[in-house]
Amino acid sequence: MVYSSLMNNENIVAKAQLGGMQVMEYVKDMSVTPASSKMEYYCAKMNINKRQVLLNMNGNGYTVQAGAMQWMTGNVQMSSGVKGVGNFLGKMVKGAVTGESAVKPEYSGYGQMMLEPTYRHILLTDLAEWGGSVVLDDGLFLACDNTVNIQVTARSNVSSALLGGEGLFNTMLTGQGIAALECVVPREELIEINLQDDQMKIDGNMAVAWSGSLEFTVEKSGKSLLGSAVSGEGLVNVYRGTGKIWMCPVVPKWAGSLGETNPAQNTSSGQTGSSAAKNDAVSKIETVSKVLDLFN
């Protein structure tokens, strides 16, 4: 099947490809009205673009976040990924502690599938680059090869959950294959740190992904609580061992709103997560444009 208007479209660009996954990005939103044209103009200038993941299947399969499928074509079969009542209850518990959807459907066969549009940035990564396991911040998972195992990992101490901002449980991907992640920060802006039997201290919840081989704890920035308090740093997140970290340069300003752009979340108000996220971002841009108008 040939999608002439998808692959040969000046307004749609293939931004990245890894394995059978392709990230399709819309250069600008062309479905506008005179009233919304100014808003869409600023969105395009600020890289607030609609993005989708195209999954190509040639006998292989993918595990996808629940509710993320937009359309599919060809001989593609879907299964719930649930193997009995016990397995379902286990997935429910994992979903409750990580904030991810409890059941993630699996698609396999021959054909193509497009995921729902999002205004978050899509990061494609090979688990081999992480030594075979990567721990994700909440809400990052979108899809992965069905050769990848999705697990839940617990922090090594309770202080990590209470003070570190990362939570006591996180989603961990292990095995071999490609994963697609949704992030509020573009890949070009993320700082990549490679540790070799070393440690990294981060003041704040800025790590979005790190190797499963790293030990994560929360510790005092100084030798004593008093010294840490006087320095103004307090407690810091510490990653020890050998592995890799993806870190935001600063805490994302819109993390609270854009963090809900997962298609499986934020649907109670009648809006998809991506549209709600865009509306929030757009409201900020509209405010700026109105201020600028005062000086014209």
Side-chain angles (χ1 to χ4, degrees), residues 217-268:
T217 59
V218 178
E219 301 176 7
K220 303 182 298 292
S221 59
K223 294 183 179 180
S224 65
L225 283 174
L226 179 60
S228 299
V230 172
S231 68
E233 297 299 336
L235 298 168
V236 292
N237 295 337
V238 182
Y239 302 83
R240 286 191 177 89
T242 299
K244 184 168 69 172
I245 302 171
W246 277 355
M247 183 184 73
C248 301
V250 295
V251 176
K253 294 181 180 180
W254 300 344
S257 57
L258 292 183
E260 296 179 353
T261 61
N262 190 303
Q265 301 172 348
N266 199 31
T267 57
S268 59

Side-chain angles (χ1 to χ4, degrees), residues 32-38:
V32 299
T33 64
S36 64
S37 59
K38 183 177 181 179

Side-chain angles (χ1 to χ4, degrees), residues 123 130 134-135 137 140 166 181 183-195 199-211 214 216 236-239 243-252:
L123 313 179
W130 300 88
V134 58
V135 181
D137 198 14
L140 256 71
E166 296 289 356
L181 313 177
C183 186
V184 297
V185 177
R187 179 65 184 90
E188 296 81 3
E189 198 168 275
L190 288 175
I191 300 172
E192 183 175 307
I193 302 101
N194 289 281
L195 300 179
Q199 66 178 10
M200 177 79 179
K201 296 182 178 181
I202 303 176
D203 182 16
N205 183 21
M206 294 185 289
V208 299
W210 56 93
S211 297
L214 295 176
F216 170 62
V236 292
N237 295 337
V238 182
Y239 302 83
K244 184 168 69 172
I245 302 171
W246 277 355
M247 183 184 73
C248 301
V250 295
V251 176

Side-chain angles (χ1 to χ4, degrees), residues 53-196:
V53 175
L54 180 64
L55 303 177
N56 298 287
M57 281 170 272
N58 187 25
N60 59 317
Y62 298 94
T63 303
V64 177
Q65 185 69 265
M69 190 275 289
Q70 186 186 52
W71 57 261
M72 58 183 177
T73 183
N75 186 19
V76 179
Q77 295 83 37
M78 187 274 286
S79 64
S80 64
V82 176
K83 302 176 180 65
V85 176
N87 181 257
F88 175 72
L89 293 176
K91 290 179 181 292
M92 290 292 291
V93 173
K94 292 178 182 179
V97 299
T98 62
E100 301 281 358
S101 60
V103 178
K104 297 177 175 61
E106 298 177 2
Y107 298 85
S108 60
Y110 295 84
Q112 291 180 309
M113 182 171 69
M114 184 73 84
L115 303 188
E116 289 281 357
T118 177
Y119 288 93
R120 296 177 81 176
H121 301 277
I122 306 297
L123 313 179
L124 300 182
T125 185
D126 191 335
L127 263 65
E129 301 174 5
W130 300 88
S133 66
V134 58
V135 181
L136 307 179
D137 198 14
D138 294 342
L140 256 71
F141 177 81
L142 179 60
C144 66
D145 289 327
N146 61 1
T147 55
V148 175
N149 298 315
I150 304 175
Q151 304 174 0
V152 172
T153 180
R155 303 277 56 82
S156 59
N157 57 1
V158 177
S159 64
S160 301
L162 300 178
L163 304 172
E166 296 289 356
L168 182 58
F169 299 94
N170 286 92
T171 298
M172 181 168 70
L173 307 180
T174 62
Q176 297 179 342
I178 310 299
L181 313 177
E182 285 186 291
C183 186
V184 297
V185 177
R187 179 65 184 90
E188 296 81 3
E189 198 168 275
L190 288 175
I191 300 172
E192 183 175 307
I193 302 101
N194 289 281
L195 300 179
Q196 293 292 330

Side-chain angles (χ1 to χ4, degrees), residues 38-39 42-43 46 48 253-254 280-296:
K38 183 177 181 179
M39 175 181 65
Y42 281 104
C43 283
M46 295 302 295
I48 303 176
K253 294 181 180 180
W254 300 344
D280 182 81
V282 163
S283 65
K284 294 177 174 62
I285 295 174
E286 273 193 311
T287 301
V288 173
S289 64
K290 289 178 181 178
V291 172
L292 293 176
D293 285 344
L294 298 176
F295 295 92
N296 293 333

Side-chain angles (χ1 to χ4, degrees), residues 15-26:
K15 293 289 291 186
Q17 180 171 356
L18 195 58
M21 298 185 182
Q22 290 178 279
V23 178
M24 315 302 292
E25 181 173 310
Y26 294 81

